[in-house]
Each structure stands twice: as structure tokens, then as C-alpha cells.
Amino acid sequence: MTEFSRRLVRRCWLSAVQNPLQVISFPALQLHVSGTAMRASQEDFENAMNQVKLLKKDPGNEVKLKLYALYKQETARQNYVDLVSSLTSSSKSSSQAKPGADRERQGYENLVVTSEDGITKIMLNRPIKKNAISTQMYHEIMLALKTASKDDSTITVLTGNGDYYCSGNDLTNFTDIPAGGVEEKAKNSALMLRDFVGCFIDFPKPLIAVVNGPAVGIGVTTLGLFDVVYASDKATFHTPFGHLGLSPEGCSSYTFPKIMGPAKAAEMLIFGKKLTAREACAQGLVTEVFPDSIFQKEVWTRLKAYSKLPPNAMRVSKQVIRNTEKEKLHAVNAEECRVLRERWMSDECINAAMNFLSRRAKL
Ligand SMILES: CCCCCC/C=C/C(=O)SCCNC(=O)CCNC(=O)[C@H](O)C(C)(C)COP(=O)(O)OP(=O)(O)OC[C@H]1O[C@@H](n2cnc3c(N)ncnc32)[C@H](O)[C@@H]1OP(=O)(O)O
């Protein structure tokens, strides 16, 4: 271990232990040598990362998560470039809609929300991260759903920008540890998840998923709470909870066995079997699959026709279909969040998240 990397690792650890909040805002791994700010080179940084992996004494989950938070800050400049690039691609994507005919809702950082032809479209707009849902996005989606539930559109659509529908929970969400430590983080996350899933359970109008590409984790589990799910034949459906040391959410522990039978649900939710769009359709999770080349055209033509049906009849029909289940779904949601709160503090879960963040594991 070089003197440089020893100092770098020591500084990360000391900061993490002494002042967790300061560590989160620690400037991207700058060292001060003889009064001059010196940025650690990529090589120094990678050396330090390797040394951390070789340490004989485990520094504990909390310190490890903070080290990875610092690791993510080193990628901040890349994130800036990525964000600009996602802005460019979102303006390309929204150009599919007719300019002027579309009422775009402002104020969302990672969503594009539009209303046209009686349809409110909520598009996850973080294509560079495969539409992984950051903490801020959870709040933005909740706000968009609450707003859509009261607007004058007749149906609401959730879709993704870019090649993915959604890669699930952003695995860096757990590197942002508050002063109360991992326990407080797990408690807050469970509360947020409960509210988030609650918005889908209570959504009063027809809710349609337009699954434009692969869906992972919570991007899949919540599909059981949609009224209709259309998928491109490029979409896949993956709930790798076992691999991540996690357990099911989004009411999937109840909706999936109901939709596809307990054995098929267990293969997905316990063993993480990934389904193709056609398999998901055969098992009832997806309503209809379209060839990718005609997916957008076919789906939007159909949705525009549906949106012209009498809105009150659609609303009432949804209520008749779903209302008897609501109480049960809220109870399932609460129990899933309680179990997950424990899971998030487990070594199995923290190690899996760190393996992904250190680029040692992908699905
Ligand atoms: C906090 C409270 C709520 C919690 C609710 C519980 C929810 C649980 C879940 O959703 S579990 C599922 C979590 N998701 C994953 O495990 C997916 C992880 N991602 C991957 O395995 C891969 O990225 C991939 C298979 C989705 C795509 O692979 P590939 O096509 O090779 O692309 P990249 O890996 O290069 O991805 C590009 C870019 O996106 C970043 N990224 C993708 N998915 C996530 C993610 N879920 N979280 C964070 N970041 C993600 C990836 O790191 C790349 O970023 P980079 O360019 O390296 O900066």
C-alpha cells in the first residue's frame, strides 16, 4: 500500500467515523498537501479501493456504505455529463409528441409529465441510469400520481424514456446515510416505500404501464397494481430479490401468486427467474406484447381510443374491480415494508449493494 493510498483510506475512514454528515458532502476526494489542493488521480483512487477490499478487519457496514458514497462522488463529473446527455435525449423523446398540442408539466427533475388527448403520461426520464428510481424520483412519482388522480385526463400511463422501462430501486439510495445511521435510513426508506406503493393502490382512474424495455425490481412488482400492462417484445421482467438479499415489495407477495399461481410467483420472487415479455404475458402479468418496431404506434393508437370512453364509467368500473382488495393490499404493503426494513440492515443486502456499486456484480 503506498503512503498516498494509506492516507486516502485513512482519511475516508476517519471522516466517516467522526462526522457522517460531513463525509457525505466531502469534496471529491481532494487531499491537501503543503497547503495546495491536490486531486487524487484515478490510479490512486483505484489503488485505495483495492486496499479497502483487502483489509483484514471488516470496518462494518456503516463505514463501508460511506466509503461507497465517497466512491460515487468521484463519479460526479461523469454524472454531470450524463445528466446533460439525458436532457438532450429527453428533448428528443418528447419531440414524439406534437409541439403545442402537449401540455408539459414543469418542476420534475427526472420525470416528463404530459397531458394530451385525455391521457396523462408520466415518463421516467433518467435513461443514462436505465431509469433507476432515486429517492427524489420516488417523491416525484408520488406527486405526479396524486396530481394525475385529480386532473381532467381519463387515463394515466407510466412509461420509461430510453431503452429501459425501469431498472428498479437506485442502489446508491442507501449510500446516503443520515446522522441516525443505517437504522434511521431503513426506517425512513420503509415509510417512503409504503407511501409510494400506497399511491398505486389508491389510484382512482385506469392506470396503464407502457413497458418499453426491461423492467427490474420495483419496476416489475408494482405492475400487479396496474389495470393494463402493454410490453414491447424487448422487455424483460426481473425481480432479483434473492441475489440482493431482499424480499418482495409492491404488493407482489400477494398480487403475483394471485396472477400467475404460487409456483410461478415463487420462481420469480424467491429465485429471481427473469421472464421474457411473452412469458410474462402467458403468466398474466402482461396484457399484450407488441413487436418493438410497432410498439409505440400501436399502443398509443389504442390508448387514444380508450381515453375517449366515458370517464365516469371507467372510474367506477375500476373501483368495482379493485375496491374489495384495497384494504388487503394496504395490509400486504405494510407487512412487506416491515420485512424489508429488517432486510436493508442485513449483511446479505448491504454486501450485494456494495458489490454492484464497486462494479463486481451485475444482474
Ligand atoms: C429506497 C426505498 C425503496 C426500495 C424499494 C425496493 C426496491 C427493490 C428493487 O428495485 S431491487 C432491483 C434493484 N436493481 C438492480 O439490482 C439493477 C442493478 N443494475 C444492473 O444490474 C444493470 O445496471 C442493468 C442490468 C440494469 C443494466 O446493465 P447494462 O445494460 O450493462 O447497463 P449499465 O450497468 O452500464 O447501466 C448504466 C448505468 O446505469 C446505472 N444503473 C443501472 N441500474 C441501476 C440501479 N438500479 N441503481 C443504480 N444505478 C443503476 C449503472 O450503474 C450505470 O451507471 P454508470 O454509467 O456506471 O455510472
Side-chain angles (χ1 to χ4, degrees):
M1 190 182 204
T2 64
E3 176 57 21
F4 184 86
S5 45
R6 210 180 347 260
R7 286 173 61 187
L8 183 57
V9 172
R10 188 173 148 70
R11 179 164 178 154
C12 290
W13 278 30
L14 280 178
S15 303
V17 171
Q18 286 162 358
N19 189 345
L21 285 177
Q22 184 192 332
V23 171
I24 305 296
S25 60
F26 192 61
L29 290 164
Q30 285 183 334
L31 294 181
H32 291 268
V33 179
S34 312
T36 316
M38 190 182 86
R39 185 174 289 277
S41 71
Q42 187 58 29
E43 192 188 342
D44 294 326
F45 182 61
E46 276 163 17
N47 282 341
M49 288 287 295
N50 287 333
Q51 295 297 337
V52 171
K53 285 177 212 156
L54 295 176
L55 289 171
K56 293 204 177 82
K57 189 164 175 277
D58 190 319
N61 289 336
E62 204 151 313
V63 173
K64 283 194 274 183
L65 277 171
K66 288 185 180 113
L67 282 169
Y68 281 95
L70 290 169
Y71 170 84
K72 290 311 282 182
Q73 285 180 31
E74 180 62 11
T75 63
R77 278 175 299 173
Q78 183 60 44
N79 289 347
Y80 180 88
V81 175
D82 292 346
L83 180 57
V84 172
S85 149
S86 79
L87 293 175
T88 319
S89 80
S90 89
S91 65
K92 269 190 213 138
S93 164
S94 56
S95 67
Q96 287 169 351
K98 283 170 263 152
D102 215 10
R103 184 158 52 89
E104 190 166 320
R105 305 241 169 90
Q106 302 299 323
Y108 297 106
E109 200 172 300
N110 293 120
L111 301 181
V112 176
V113 182
T114 51
S115 274
E116 189 186 8
D117 294 328
I119 305 172
T120 290
K121 176 169 86 166
I122 302 170
M123 184 167 67
L124 307 180
N125 188 33
R126 209 181 166 215
I128 216 80
K129 296 285 179 186
K130 310 289 181 192
N131 295 326
I133 309 181
S134 62
T135 301
Q136 182 179 344
M137 273 169 90
Y138 282 105
H139 290 289
E140 290 191 354
I141 295 167
M142 284 191 263
L143 180 60
L145 285 173
K146 282 180 184 151
T147 310
S149 72
K150 293 186 210 112
D151 71 12
D152 54 9
S153 64
T154 55
I155 62 179
T156 300
V157 173
L158 189 70
T159 190
N161 184 20
D163 58 344
Y164 261 64
Y165 171 68
C166 173
S167 65
N169 184 45
D170 186 320
L171 294 174
T172 66
N173 283 345
F174 270 85
T175 58
D176 178 17
I177 305 296
V182 176
E183 274 188 31
E184 188 185 331
K185 182 75 192 177
K187 182 177 158 217
N188 295 342
S189 300
L191 288 173
M192 184 185 71
L193 180 61
R194 189 172 164 173
D195 287 349
F196 178 78
V197 174
C199 286
F200 288 85
I201 298 173
D202 289 332
F203 197 75
K205 303 176 187 177
L207 184 61
I208 290 114
V210 172
V211 185
N212 52 297
V216 185
I218 194 157
V220 178
T221 56
T222 44
L223 292 176
L225 299 170
F226 282 71
D227 301 299
V228 167
V229 177
Y230 293 134
S232 151
D233 60 2
K234 284 200 172 156
T236 52
F237 299 82
H238 195 189
T239 47
F241 301 132
H243 304 70
L244 293 168
L246 291 173
S247 50
E249 38 27 35
C251 293
S252 58
S253 62
Y254 177 72
T255 56
F256 280 28
K258 223 178 150 206
I259 292 169
M260 58 185 80
K264 294 287 185 192
E267 250 193 325
M268 278 192 88
L269 297 174
I270 302 176
F271 301 119
K273 184 180 179 195
K274 191 199 280 190
L275 302 189
T276 63
R278 300 218 180 274
E279 286 167 338
C281 190
Q283 292 182 14
L285 184 63
V286 165
T287 313
E288 193 168 335
V289 181
F290 299 82
D292 193 64
S293 54
I294 54 164
F295 177 61
Q296 297 289 345
K297 188 169 169 286
E298 292 288 318
V299 163
W300 289 105
T301 303
R302 189 177 300 186
L303 290 176
K304 276 178 196 167
Y306 288 168
S307 71
K308 294 189 174 58
L309 292 169
N312 292 335
M314 288 198 283
R315 226 176 223 270
V316 167
S317 298
K318 169 162 182 164
Q319 279 163 19
V320 169
I321 296 168
R322 294 265 173 188
N323 271 8
T324 48
E325 290 280 66
K326 260 194 185 177
E327 212 176 308
K328 173 75 184 168
L329 289 170
H330 281 297
V332 169
N333 184 24
E335 175 60 7
E336 288 177 346
C337 292
R338 186 192 67 74
V339 175
L340 262 177
R341 184 173 160 182
E342 299 295 319
R343 286 278 88 216
W344 284 324
M345 291 186 285
S346 69
D347 282 351
E348 285 179 350
C349 174
I350 290 174
N351 287 337
M354 286 192 310
N355 281 342
F356 173 76
L357 297 176
S358 63
R359 304 297 184 269
R360 274 182 284 159
K362 243 183 216 185
L363 293 174

